Amino acid sequence: MEPNIDWKNLSFNYIKTDYNVRVHYKDGQWGKLEVTSWDYIPLHMAATSLHYGQEAFEGMKAYRGKDGKVRIFRWQENAKRFRNSAKGILMPEVPEELFHEAVTTAVRLNERFVPPYGTGASLYIRPLLIGISPIVGVHPSHEYLFLVFVLPVGPYFKGGFKPQDFMIIRKYDRAAPLGTGNIKVGGNYAAGLRATEMAQSKGYANALFLDPKEKKYIDEAGPANFFAIKGDTYVTPKSQSILPSITNNSLQQLCKHLGYKVEQRPIPVEELAEFTEAGACGTAAVITPIGKIFDEETNKTYIYSKDGKPGKITTELYNTLTGIQWGDIEDPFGWVEIVD
Ligand code: PLP
Ligand code: COI
C-alpha cells in the first residue's frame, strides 16, 4: 500500500517508515541483523555515545528510476568512510558486507517509502554506529550498536536546485585542524550548531566555514562541501578539516569526463571574487547553487547569481549527476547499484 505522503512537498524531516535494522557488537564480534519497527533504542544512561560523543553516521540515498527500479549510489564509498569514522573515535569498523546487507535490507523492507520517479524526492538512508557500554571514565565502549533507518526526503535546502545564500562565519569553528573534521562524527555537527544558527538568524541558508587554523581559506558550506567555477575549471578546497564528500569526488570525476579541469587546493577567501559560479554539494544538499556569499568582517558580498538561476556549469553538473543517480543517463563509472 502506498503511504499517504505528498511526495512533491517533502522536506528533510524525520518520517517513520516500516522497519529499521540493527546489529550489535559484543565480545569482539558482530552479531546477526535484527529487524524492528520500533524507532527507539534501549540505551544505558552512561553509554559512551551519550557522554563522550562516541558515535558516527553516514548519509546515503536510494532513488526510484523511470523503470520503477531502486538505485543506490556509490555505497562502497560510504562504507569506507564509515569505517574511517569508526577508526577515528576508536569504534569497531563495520565490515563492508555487513554494511551492504544492512543498507539494502533497510531499503527493501521500506520499498513503499521510496518516492516515485519524477517527484524529486528520494529515500534517505542513515547508518549509525554508537557506543553503548556504560563507562563513566573517558574510554572507548566495549559494546556497540550499528543501525540503519531510512526516510523519504525532499531537498535539504529550500526550493531544491535554486541558489541559496551563505555567510562566512569566523566566530566558531566546526572542527580543529587535527581534530575530527574529516570523519563523520556527531561532535562536528554539535560544534557547528552555533555557526549555522548565526548564519540562519541573519537570513542565510547556512554557514560557510573557514579553515580553523588561519581563517584564510574556505573549508565547507554547512553540511556540504564547497566548489566553485573559474573559467573552465572546477575548484574545490583541499583541507584536512573537511569531510571528504562522495558527491564532491563524483563531481570531480564528472568534470574530467565532461572536459573541465579540476583543482583541489586551498582556496583563499579573496579568491571568491574570481569565481563565476559556486555551489554546495553533498548527499542531502545534492548540488545547491550558491547565489551569494556575505563576509561580515570585510562587508563584502560575492555574487554568483543575479537572476535567481543557477550557473551553466553548475546546471550541467547537476543534470549529469542526478541523471546517473535516477538512472536516466548512462553510468559510465559503475556508481549505481540496483536494489532488487
Ligand atoms: N560535509 C559535511 C560536513 C557533511 O555533513 C556532508 C554530508 O554528508 C558532506 C560534506 C557531503 O558528503 P557526501 O557528498 O558524501 O554526502
Ligand atoms: C548528508 O548529506 O547525508 C548529511 O549527512 C548531511 C546532513 C548532516 C544532513
Side-chain angles (χ1 to χ4, degrees), residues 296-317:
E296 200 171 37
E297 188 160 290
T298 58
N299 202 27
K300 275 194 184 143
T301 302
Y302 305 92
I303 298 175
Y304 305 106
S305 170
K306 288 201 181 102
D307 54 3
K309 292 204 188 97
K312 190 170 139 278
I313 297 178
T314 305
T315 305
E316 184 183 5
L317 290 175

Side-chain angles (χ1 to χ4, degrees), residues 80-220:
K80 202 198 288 174
R81 191 170 65 191
F82 200 44
R83 293 197 299 274
N84 252 335
S85 300
K87 243 192 309 197
I89 53 169
L90 304 187
M91 303 197 290
E93 297 172 36
V94 174
E96 185 173 88
E97 267 319 296
L98 180 60
F99 184 88
H100 184 246
E101 187 192 356
V103 165
T104 51
T105 303
V107 171
R108 265 188 216 107
L109 291 174
N110 294 292
E111 210 234 297
R112 70 192 190 102
F113 289 95
V114 184
Y117 175 81
T119 56
S122 53
L123 188 77
Y124 188 71
I125 306 166
R126 175 52 65 87
L128 177 74
L129 177 61
I130 60 172
I132 57 173
S133 303
I135 299 181
V136 184
V138 183
H139 302 288
S141 185
H142 308 301
E143 294 181 19
Y144 293 85
L145 172 65
F146 164 44
L147 64 84
V148 180
F149 66 85
V150 298
L151 59 150
V153 296
Y156 190 81
F157 290 106
K158 260 206 197 101
F161 190 55
K162 204 177 126 233
Q164 304 283 332
D165 300 337
F166 283 71
M167 179 181 175
I168 293 178
I169 300 288
R170 287 186 172 75
K171 196 169 173 197
Y172 306 112
D173 295 320
R174 68 174 276 284
L178 294 174
T180 54
N182 60 349
I183 55 175
K184 204 161 168 60
V185 297
N188 299 335
Y189 297 81
L193 284 174
R194 286 182 300 178
T196 308
E197 220 254 339
M198 194 171 177
Q200 290 176 345
S201 70
K202 299 192 173 177
Y204 294 88
N206 217 304
L208 189 63
F209 291 99
L210 301 185
D211 81 279
K213 195 169 179 183
E214 297 184 88
K215 301 278 168 74
K216 276 192 185 161
Y217 305 99
I218 306 295
D219 243 8
E220 289 203 84

Side-chain angles (χ1 to χ4, degrees), residues 246-266:
I246 296 155
T247 314
N248 191 354
N249 174 278
S250 308
L251 293 178
Q252 292 177 44
Q253 293 192 49
L254 280 179
C255 277
K256 289 178 192 157
H257 187 72
L258 295 167
Y260 297 110
K261 293 192 206 96
V262 172
E263 288 177 11
Q264 189 171 20
R265 56 167 172 82

